[in-house]
Amino acid sequence: MPHESTAVEAQALSIFTPVNLILLSLAVYIIYSRLRPAPPSNIKHDAPRVFRTFTPKTLSPYNGTESPSVYLAVEGRVFDVTAGKSFYGPGGPYSNFAGRDASRGLAKNSFDEEMLTPLDKPIDKLEDLTDEEKESLAGWASHFEGKYLLVGRLVEKGSKEAEEAKDE
Ligand SMILES: *[C@@H]1O[C@H](CO)[C@@H](O)[C@H](O)[C@H]1NC(C)=O
């Protein structure tokens, strides 16, 4: 009986209607996405890191040209600003700050070369800043704290801190 057998087949196949298949895939997908471990939201924060001690010279290679990382210093604290490479990396508007102490430039909201202390000169003590410039610097500092990872401190070459760090 050809008619009957087609009817039975049709019934057997009826659970595989396109709509059911879509619902099934959806259910499988939902279950899968619930059970799947969440991907790390920010790998950079999970990566083990060591808090390092830099001098102006040892910080300078972190300018994004030869090193993949871009670091800069703000008031003695070194931040990893690699995530903001389009700003601080090569060709970025703040690329002068890459691998350098950016404090004075940030205080004065100037990205000029002359805001940078030459690498062989003592670290800028920023003693001449006006209240307004100090405020600007504090604002930038909290911006970096909120957005980037603190990876170290900037100390004077030959200082006690620098010498101690060498032995670590
Ligand atoms: C960046 O660092 C590299 C490696 O130390 C150096 O050769 C290069 O001159 C630096 N670039 C700038 C713009 O300072």
Side-chain angles (χ1 to χ4, degrees):
M1 287 269 219
H3 285 296
E4 236 171 73
S5 87
T6 3
V8 169
E9 264 169 40
Q11 205 174 13
L13 286 173
S14 70
I15 59 163
F16 296 114
T17 62
V19 171
N20 280 355
L21 285 179
I22 289 167
L23 289 176
L24 182 69
S25 331
L26 198 63
V28 167
Y29 173 76
I30 289 168
I31 290 164
Y32 167 73
S33 51
R34 294 256 167 113
L35 296 181
R36 175 182 56 172
S41 59
N42 205 336
I43 290 160
K44 135 189 122 164
H45 287 286
D46 296 338
R49 275 185 193 266
V50 182
F51 186 86
R52 288 180 53 194
T53 299
F54 297 89
T55 65
K57 270 221 173 74
T58 62
L59 179 63
S60 69
Y62 294 91
N63 63 18
T65 57
E66 279 163 44
S67 72
S69 304
V70 183
Y71 292 176
L72 59 72
V74 186
E75 293 182 295
R77 287 176 296 165
V78 176
F79 291 95
D80 180 347
V81 296
T82 310
K85 208 168 184 174
S86 55
F87 294 105
Y88 305 101
Y94 311 144
S95 63
N96 276 351
F97 292 159
R100 303 298 290 267
D101 177 8
S103 307
R104 177 167 297 269
L106 296 173
K108 293 184 179 277
N109 283 306
S110 163
F111 313 114
D112 295 342
E113 189 85 44
E114 69 213 33
M115 292 294 136
L116 302 173
T117 305
L119 293 179
D120 55 355
K121 291 277 186 307
I123 294 171
D124 195 339
K125 294 197 173 58
L126 307 165
E127 281 162 340
D128 61 323
L129 297 185
T130 65
D131 285 347
E132 206 179 315
E133 288 164 351
K134 283 179 192 160
E135 228 170 85
S136 162
L137 182 54
W140 276 102
S142 62
H143 166 78
F144 284 106
E145 282 161 20
K147 195 155 182 199
Y148 300 110
L149 202 65
L150 182 68
V151 292
R153 59 179 176 170
L154 184 69
V155 302
E156 208 70 76
K157 181 175 187 284
S159 67
K160 193 169 133 268
E161 293 94 334
E163 293 307 313
E164 281 169 3
K166 273 185 193 164
D167 303 331
E168 276 165 16

